Amino acid sequence: MIRCEGLTKYYGNHRAIADVDIHVSEGEIVGFLGPNAAGKTTAMRILTSFIPPSAGIATVAGHDVVTDSLESRRCIGYLPETASLYRDMRVTQFLRFCAGLRGMGGAETSERMEYVIDTCGLAERADSIIATLSLGYRQRVGLAQALLHDPPVLIFDEPTVGLDPNQIIEVRNLIKSLAEKHTVMLSTHILPEAAMTCERVIIINHGRIIAEDTPEALTAQIREAETVSVTLASPGESVERQLTDMTEVVAVRPQGGGIFHVDTAIGADVRAQIAEFVVGHDWGLLELRPVEMTLEDVFQQLTTEEEGVE
Amino acid sequence: MRKVLTIAGKEIRSYFVSPMAYVVLAFFLGVCGLIFALTVTMTQSEANMAGMFHTMIFITLMMTPVITMGLLSQEQSTGSLELLMTNPIRESEVVIGKYLAALALYMIALVASLEFALIINAFGDPDWMAILSGYIGVTLAGMAFLAIGLFSSALVANQIAAAVLGYLMLLFFWLIGWLDSAVEGVLGTIAKNISILENFQDFAKGIIDSRPIIFFASLIVFALFLSVRALENKRTI
Ligand SMILES: Nc1ncnc2c1ncn2[C@@H]1O[C@H](COP(=O)(O)OP(=O)(O)OP(=O)(O)O)[C@@H](O)[C@H]1O
Ligand SMILES: [Mg+2]
């Protein structure tokens, strides 16, 4: 549904994205993950025909975003990064205005408005003037207009910014449920968000895609060791050395407070041996658990590696 | 067409929910009315509106950049342009929709100003053909001013800057007629032919000629075309 090939964008001499290839198939929900200034918004603006690419091609639902942009725009529901809405309009007026821009008929408009107002939790504020809404509610209005015309492709630029924790969970669930009937691409710099909502994550940094896979595969891919966290009540002086001397153990990293991270070879599960060893030494085993590599770690590792190259 | 009307409707509504519409109408009718009252009582002149049209076109010049200043500049400064232009809509539809909204507000002012003609009619026997031609002239000139104002609003993101730029462009077309007497030959003739005031003279006198109509029509089309291009260029930096 979304295809980019060799997408490049220069702002003057500054290259915001370089050679970006993205393929998103129908019904997929893809997270576009990157630190500030990585080029997420730039790529999304190109996909929504707001700015033209300097090089490369992009199509949405089979329509080129430059040469056939009226058609491609018709297929997209877009939530811009800063949902700048018309402040002097009421929520319902604004949605009606959007419906008009998208050529929706009267009956369809009323029906869809009811649906999006309900879905985005806007019912009590539907008649409020947008300027009087809080940031989170404006974000909801932004989401509502993106869903209004029931487009096949949804592009959300940081959809949960400004929302309270409950609303964040609601929106994530909403996005997940949308994925059944829509193709969704969302950008975020919040890693757990990408891990929770997306089937696939594309990591972008300095305008280049540096990794692309399922959240699980990504963590597996760059993991260099299995790590077990051991918490001890009364660690003796020589715990570190003695643990390191175990045949299965590659390295021991004391974390302070009686916590030790024990690295072992990939694929080996040595928790039983460690438990036995520790109990044998009477160090007072409080906790023993495998350490999952989070997307944060993946991200940090990938982005710092990238910086090392440049 | 429906998209054009959607845009126009939104802008007209925002004119009337903000003080804009009321300030513009009060200013136009207030100043016209004051000058009308002064001329009628002080000069005891015959029943005609010729002087009135000169007042009206000058006030139109003062007022049109204010009507148009926010139309496209605000979309840029608030960032709502992104939401607008990622809809399936053409730049030309946006420009024409906004233009129609500004024109509607201006036409309301003009229609309200018909009261002056009716007052003259009640006390005298004015030449209605002259009044008609004067109104055609004021309408055409106002339409050109609005198109130029809209263009300046497309060029800059700041409302006030857009208004100032609009005044500068209008003043250029207003004052260039003076070159006619200062410069000899072709240049002088050109200056005279693109002067708004020169092109307006005939209408005020009750003469409807095709040349000034063509002049104003081309100015409108050209300014609207430039607005569309300016809006397109905003995003292609
Ligand atoms: N209109 C513009 N003119 C010039 N440079 C720009 C413009 N928009 C973005 N940039 C630059 O392009 C780069 C990418 O910006 P972009 O907004 O795409 O980042 P992002 O990934 O969305 O970041 P964030 O997480 O902060 O939203 C940045 O270095 C930014 O300064
Ligand atoms: Mg961004």
Side-chain angles (χ1 to χ4, degrees):
Chain A
M1 287 301 264
I2 303 175
R3 287 170 64 90
C4 301
E5 261 149 44
L7 218 53
T8 303
K9 176 70 188 178
Y10 282 91
Y11 292 110
N13 284 326
H14 175 73
R15 196 186 58 204
I17 57 170
D19 252 325
V20 166
D21 296 335
I22 299 171
H23 293 255
V24 182
S25 18
E26 195 166 346
E28 234 187 330
I29 168 162
V30 168
F32 203 36
L33 192 61
N36 290 140
K40 305 180 293 292
T41 301
T42 302
M44 290 185 153
R45 284 181 170 165
I46 293 173
L47 285 173
T48 53
S49 306
F50 184 60
I51 52 175
S54 308
I57 55 159
T59 63
V60 172
H63 307 286
D64 191 291
V65 300
V66 177
T67 58
D68 195 11
S69 82
L70 277 183
E71 274 310 313
S72 72
R73 280 181 276 172
R74 226 185 286 281
C75 300
I76 300 174
Y78 178 43
L79 173 74
E81 181 166 42
T82 46
S84 305
L85 314 163
Y86 299 106
R87 299 173 57 86
D88 61 351
M89 292 178 113
R90 291 177 196 283
V91 173
T92 45
Q93 283 174 343
F94 174 70
L95 291 176
R96 226 169 259 290
F97 170 70
C98 292
L101 294 182
R102 293 161 199 176
M104 291 165 67
E108 190 194 1
T109 304
S110 309
E111 187 191 314
R112 289 296 302 174
M113 269 177 59
E114 200 174 308
Y115 169 78
V116 296
I117 285 174
D118 183 48
T119 312
C120 300
L122 282 165
E124 317 104 83
R125 305 307 302 269
D127 287 319
S128 303
I129 291 168
I130 290 175
T132 68
L133 294 180
S134 68
L135 181 66
Y137 269 86
R138 271 180 240 166
Q139 190 75 1
R140 295 185 201 192
V141 178
L143 275 171
Q145 65 78 28
L147 299 175
L148 187 62
H149 54 307
D150 200 14
V153 176
L154 292 167
I155 297 183
F156 296 152
D157 202 349
E158 309 207 10
T160 54
V161 164
L163 299 178
D164 61 51
N166 287 333
Q167 186 64 22
I168 287 181
I169 293 170
E170 267 176 53
V171 167
R172 284 182 190 156
N173 289 337
L174 169 66
I175 291 173
K176 273 195 217 169
S177 71
L178 289 171
E180 285 163 21
K181 284 192 293 170
H182 307 260
T183 306
V184 186
M185 179 167 178
L186 64 93
S187 82
T188 176
H189 53 252
I190 309 165
L191 301 154
E193 178 161 295
M196 260 181 268
T197 45
C198 303
E199 296 161 0
R200 190 152 62 89
V201 178
I202 298 172
I203 299 183
I204 183 170
N205 194 31
H206 294 303
R208 286 184 187 279
I209 291 183
I210 51 175
E212 182 178 349
D213 218 323
T214 60
E216 301 80 38
L218 269 179
T219 40
Q221 182 189 322
I222 68 151
R223 182 157 45 175
E224 281 155 353
E226 307 277 351
T227 305
V228 180
S229 168
V230 185
T231 310
L232 304 175
S234 50
E237 286 291 298
S238 55
V239 173
E240 195 182 338
R241 189 179 47 77
Q242 292 200 37
L243 278 175
T244 316
D245 284 347
M246 286 178 70
T247 45
E248 301 88 353
V249 173
V250 178
V252 175
R253 292 173 282 131
Q255 305 289 305
I259 301 172
F260 296 84
H261 280 182
V262 181
D263 291 343
T264 58
I266 285 275
D269 188 353
V270 294
R271 274 176 292 173
Q273 288 94 313
I274 292 175
E276 202 177 319
F277 186 76
V278 170
V279 170
H281 284 77
D282 218 13
W283 288 325
L285 179 61
L286 294 179
E287 192 194 17
L288 180 80
R289 60 179 174 84
V291 176
E292 299 272 357
M293 198 168 189
T294 63
L295 258 180
E296 254 103 356
D297 304 323
V298 179
F299 189 64
Q300 208 163 24
Q301 191 156 342
L302 285 170
T303 50
T304 43
E305 268 172 17
E306 169 82 357
E307 268 155 19
V309 170
E310 282 188 359
Chain B
M1 193 58 201
R2 230 192 98 208
K3 293 174 186 177
V4 171
L5 293 181
T6 300
I7 301 266
K10 175 203 161 268
E11 293 302 337
I12 290 171
R13 191 175 44 231
S14 40
Y15 278 143
F16 282 93
V17 297
S18 71
M20 176 67 93
Y22 309 102
V23 169
V24 160
L25 291 175
F27 176 72
F28 186 76
L29 296 174
V31 178
C32 283
L34 188 68
I35 292 176
F36 178 72
L38 287 178
T39 27
V40 168
T41 50
M42 295 182 50
T43 61
Q44 306 286 331
S45 62
E46 52 180 314
N48 78 48
M49 294 258 301
M52 194 64 209
F53 286 122
H54 278 105
T55 309
M56 269 163 71
I57 192 158
F58 185 69
I59 296 167
T60 299
L61 179 96
M62 303 292 293
M63 150 180 121
T64 42
V66 176
I67 296 182
T68 53
M69 64 182 181
L71 286 178
L72 289 167
S73 62
Q74 266 190 332
E75 298 273 3
Q76 301 170 45
S77 59
T78 63
S80 53
L81 189 66
E82 181 170 3
L83 206 113
L84 181 64
M85 292 319 301
T86 49
N87 275 288
I89 187 166
R90 296 182 178 85
E91 278 85 357
S92 54
E93 290 170 320
V94 172
V95 165
I96 293 170
K98 302 238 172 192
Y99 181 66
L100 288 182
L103 187 56
L105 180 57
Y106 180 60
M107 291 313 285
I108 292 172
L110 281 192
V111 168
S113 77
L114 278 173
E115 64 169 306
F116 303 123
L118 294 178
I119 291 171
I120 291 181
N121 195 41
F123 293 100
D125 184 22
D127 176 359
W128 277 99
M129 276 315 289
I131 291 180
L132 178 68
S133 101
Y135 265 106
I136 292 176
V138 172
T139 306
L140 277 173
M143 285 173 76
F145 295 176
L146 290 170
I148 290 171
L150 190 61
F151 172 50
S152 62
S153 178
L155 284 180
V156 287
N158 181 297
Q159 281 203 65
I160 305 299
V164 171
L165 190 62
Y167 282 123
L168 288 178
M169 289 196 248
L170 290 184
L171 275 179
F172 168 80
F173 281 108
W174 187 267
L175 299 179
I176 195 164
W178 291 355
L179 273 182
D180 176 33
S181 42
V183 186
E184 294 294 314
V186 191
L187 220 58
T189 319
I190 292 177
K192 187 176 172 186
N193 278 304
I194 63 169
S195 153
I196 283 174
L197 211 51
E198 284 297 330
N199 278 284
F200 181 68
Q201 290 303 355
D202 280 356
F203 288 114
K205 287 180 200 143
I207 306 162
I208 303 178
D209 188 7
S210 62
R211 204 186 44 79
I213 293 182
I214 293 170
F215 166 75
F216 283 122
S218 337
L219 200 55
I220 294 163
V221 171
F222 188 55
L224 290 181
F225 169 76
L226 287 181
S227 310
V228 173
R229 295 313 305 267
L231 200 56
E232 286 168 353
N233 282 341
K234 280 292 155 187
R235 304 188 281 121
T236 33
I237 25 132

